[in-house]
Amino acid sequence: MTEDLRPAVRLARRRFLTLTGAATAVAFGTNLPGTALGSGNAGGLTGNPFTLGVASGDPLPDAVVIWTRLAPQPYEPLGGAPYKEVGVDWQVASDEHFRRVVRSGRATARPEFAHSVHVDVRGLEPGRHYWYRFKVDRYLSPTGRTRTAPAPGQRGGQLTLGVSSCQAWTDGYYTAQRHLANEDVDAVVFLGDYIYEFGISTAGGLRNVTTPVPSQFRTEADTLDRYRLQYALYKSDPDLQAAHQSAPWITTWDDHEVQDNYAGSISKANAPVEDFLVRRANAYRAYWEHLPLRGPAPQGPNYLLYRRFTFGQVAQLSVLDTRQYRSDQAAGDGWKVDSEARRDPARVLAGQQQTQWFLQGLNRSRTTWNVLANQVIMSRMDLDPTPVDLYNMDAWDGYGAEQKLMLDGLAANRHRNPVVLTGDVHAGYALDMKRDFADPDSQTYGVEIVPTSFSSGGNGVPVSANGQKFLSGNPHLKFVDERRGYSVLRFDNAQLRVDCRMVPYVDKPGAPISTVRSFVVEAGNPGLEEL
């Protein structure tokens, strides 16, 4: 480039980067999602780069994160994108036709982050819907809808959450996600196991695909490229994409984002710690790359995932991470009888810093409801009604001392209406949380809602023989359903309503959804009341 052309080029670039409002809307409005017009080379991309859809998440009163990843060939290295930075234009509008663009700009998709884009859009109005989209040269992304949180201290109103977890791709179709996309929720809370690290057979498991799954999916995910492939497969699903496009997601991880039942730096197979932490770093990086999370990206094998959201005066939502900091499971994992190891105060699930953070936030809360997004069952659970108590070493029961600290903290804040949301078990549960779980007449101080899995576990049944054992052995357990789906929770200042929504099958697409059970919890009067 000659010297006398540089000022003109810089001026043109500044003018392009500051396009806002109607001018930018016109510039974006000439393309249809996924189509290409004109003769540009889309930053060296060959084909539609938005194959993995768009998403938003972590809503604040004045901000939300919008996400996409450029992957014209999602099952190829780097998603088929060149190893170079690509400029991505973005818009946020107050109407779905983008006639009123309120924020816009240009982000950089970097190859070291798999060309993922995370834009923390600030300066938005509280408690309202927005629409967003991305553009790379001649390619336009699908449009996503998001919503900011209400203003701090805002009185009245209602908070509606869609809640689920565990979406093994091989266990069935994402029909439940498609139904969730049609629910009018303010946010989706996802409680872990977004992917499963397992290798995938040619046939695709219960999906029984007609096109064989590519050979690169046969091995278990452990490298960064292999984790990226797994996310690409999952996020290519149109029903999952629809659920992300419909509302902001608030996510946390459990074990399968790294490895089944890992604990902190301890792998399931007891690999050398140094080797496993490399794997964990790969997994955490891929997780961040594929979800609408605020920066910065994970640093090596560590990432600060626990965080808190407030929705006016209605609810405070605290999100836990019960994998990164936990001690190894006692007694070799599984369901075991009581032991000194289970009760050892040195063994932790959330860790001292995170536990104190949660309890301090709970003690200071001024909202009607205080919600804890958590991965594994927190309430006491016995395996069966026999006289011998059997504890799940991978759940809070396996970490008795820290469990007691958390439960005592919740009980002391009974007046703050604690609600625990839990994933992991591939079933829908509803539990009263008791001062003494062995005594049905003991005081109830909160509720725990397990909203079943999206797909993990296959079709399922209403109640299996094992589910019936849980009901018989745990009088505080009010409901079990082992089909797939999600729960819709509606909070206001008077009550919480829980609708347990299930599909009858996931081994083929097109299943209907129905509400199989509904409960209410009155503010100031903890305990589940069936409708």
Side-chain angles (χ1 to χ4, degrees):
M1 181 179 294
T2 60
E3 183 66 27
D4 59 332
L5 287 178
R6 288 175 184 166
V9 171
R10 286 197 296 267
L11 176 60
R13 184 172 185 271
R14 283 199 299 271
R15 290 180 64 186
F16 175 76
L17 291 177
T18 55
L19 281 173
T20 58
T24 313
V26 170
F28 272 37
T30 56
N31 298 52
L32 295 174
T35 64
L37 297 176
S39 58
N41 67 358
L45 301 172
T46 55
N48 172 28
F50 299 111
T51 59
L52 304 183
V54 299
S56 69
D58 283 10
L60 302 176
D62 66 341
V64 70
V65 177
I66 59 174
W67 171 95
T68 193
R69 180 192 163 198
L70 309 182
Q73 297 173 301
Y75 305 150
E76 296 298 320
L78 270 188
Y83 196 88
K84 68 175 187 178
E85 295 182 351
V86 179
V88 181
D89 298 312
W90 57 269
Q91 290 179 323
V92 174
S94 59
D95 69 296
E96 60 185 316
H97 302 293
F98 289 84
R99 296 189 181 100
R100 296 182 297 277
V101 174
V102 298
R103 292 289 182 273
S104 63
R106 168 165 277 204
T108 300
R110 294 182 169 85
E112 59 267 33
F113 296 114
H115 293 100
S116 61
V117 176
H118 302 72
V119 181
D120 189 2
V121 183
R122 296 279 171 165
L124 302 177
E125 296 180 11
R128 66 159 300 157
H129 284 109
Y130 288 94
W131 287 260
Y132 62 94
R133 59 187 179 182
F134 301 88
K135 186 171 181 287
V136 175
D137 192 45
R138 64 197 190 275
Y139 288 99
L140 184 64
S141 78
T143 295
R145 187 182 78 155
T146 191
R147 186 176 176 86
T148 52
Q154 178 179 316
R155 296 182 179 182
Q158 178 176 279
L159 170 66
T160 303
L161 301 176
V163 191
S164 192
S165 67
C166 304
Q167 52 184 23
W169 188 89
T170 56
D171 281 7
Y173 290 91
Y174 290 165
T175 311
Q177 283 94 320
R178 176 64 65 171
H179 287 296
L180 179 58
N182 294 324
E183 303 271 7
D184 188 17
V185 300
D186 299 314
V188 174
V189 179
F190 188 85
L191 300 169
D193 293 344
Y194 192 94
I195 64 163
Y196 282 66
E197 78 281 19
F198 305 135
I200 298 171
S201 70
T202 303
L206 284 180
R207 290 197 175 212
N208 195 25
V209 296
T210 55
T211 302
V213 177
S215 60
Q216 56 263 47
F217 290 95
R218 302 290 178 272
T219 60
E220 183 171 310
D222 58 0
T223 67
L224 178 56
D225 284 345
R226 183 63 185 86
Y227 280 115
R228 285 170 171 169
L229 273 175
Q230 206 81 335
Y231 281 100
L233 178 67
Y234 280 56
K235 295 186 78 70
S236 296
D237 186 280
D239 294 337
L240 179 56
Q241 289 188 16
H244 273 296
Q245 283 176 233
S246 67
W249 282 42
I250 298 170
T251 66
T252 188
W253 54 38
D254 194 17
D255 53 340
H256 287 289
E257 288 88 352
V258 181
Q259 184 190 50
D260 179 34
N261 278 23
Y262 85 95
S265 61
I266 308 299
S267 76
K268 186 174 183 178
N270 290 315
V273 169
E274 295 81 2
D275 292 344
F276 182 69
L277 287 179
V278 171
R279 176 176 182 168
R280 198 176 88 173
N282 294 332
Y284 285 7
R285 166 70 72 87
Y287 181 86
W288 182 85
E289 288 173 348
H290 289 86
L291 288 165
L293 296 160
R294 286 187 169 81
Q299 298 299 308
N302 305 307
Y303 183 62
L304 184 61
L305 187 63
Y306 64 87
R307 57 210 191 280
R308 182 173 290 124
F309 303 90
T310 301
F311 299 88
Q313 288 190 354
V314 174
Q316 175 176 278
L317 172 66
S318 300
V319 182
L320 284 195
D321 170 3
T322 62
R323 285 292 164 186
Q324 185 173 181
Y325 312 107
R326 71 158 67 192
S327 307
D328 197 9
Q329 291 92 346
D333 208 352
W335 289 83
K336 301 293 174 60
V337 296
D338 198 7
S339 64
E340 290 186 9
R342 187 191 78 83
R343 291 178 276 108
D344 183 355
R347 296 181 59 261
V348 298
L349 187 69
Q352 181 180 6
Q353 179 174 318
Q354 185 177 190
T355 300
Q356 290 181 348
W357 165 84
F358 169 69
L359 293 176
Q360 288 172 358
L362 178 62
N363 291 335
R364 295 168 181 166
S365 174
R366 295 297 179 265
T367 60
T368 300
W369 299 94
N370 284 274
V371 187
L372 177 59
N374 159 74
Q375 294 83 358
V376 292
I377 296 287
M378 183 173 284
S379 300
R380 168 77 177 87
M381 284 286 283
D382 190 6
L383 180 61
D384 56 41
T386 62
V388 177
D389 290 338
L390 294 172
Y391 298 88
N392 182 357
M393 295 297 109
D394 192 56
W396 282 91
D397 275 337
Y399 300 80
E402 193 174 75
Q403 179 190 40
K404 184 177 186 305
L405 183 64
M406 289 287 284
L407 294 180
D408 286 349
L410 293 172
N413 285 276
R414 180 178 183 272
H415 59 292
R416 291 190 168 93
N417 301 302
V419 176
V420 177
L421 305 179
T422 298
D424 183 53
V425 297
H426 308 168
Y429 294 168
L431 307 97
D432 283 339
M433 304 186 79
K434 296 282 190 178
R435 292 275 188 174
D436 181 357
F437 287 103
D439 179 6
D441 296 324
S442 178
Q443 184 188 52
T444 300
Y445 57 81
V447 298
E448 183 166 6
I449 305 297
V450 184
T452 198
S453 60
F454 272 139
S455 63
S456 300
N459 290 336
V461 295
V463 185
S464 67
N466 196 55
Q468 190 57 55
K469 287 182 180 179
F470 278 127
L471 283 168
S472 300
N474 300 277
H476 55 287
L477 177 61
K478 305 300 181 183
F479 165 70
V480 171
D481 194 300
E482 296 165 80
R483 291 170 287 187
R484 307 303 131 230
Y486 53 88
S487 290
V488 176
L489 280 66
R490 294 179 175 86
F491 300 85
D492 61 31
N493 287 324
Q495 68 174 25
L496 159 64
R497 176 178 174 133
V498 181
D499 290 320
C500 306
R501 307 270 282 157
M502 307 279 183
V503 293
Y505 53 84
V506 292
D507 60 346
K508 55 184 180 292
I513 190 105
S514 62
T515 298
V516 300
R517 197 74 62 89
S518 295
F519 297 91
V520 294
V521 183
E522 295 179 4
N525 185 27
L528 295 156
E529 296 291 336
E530 186 175 349
L531 292 178

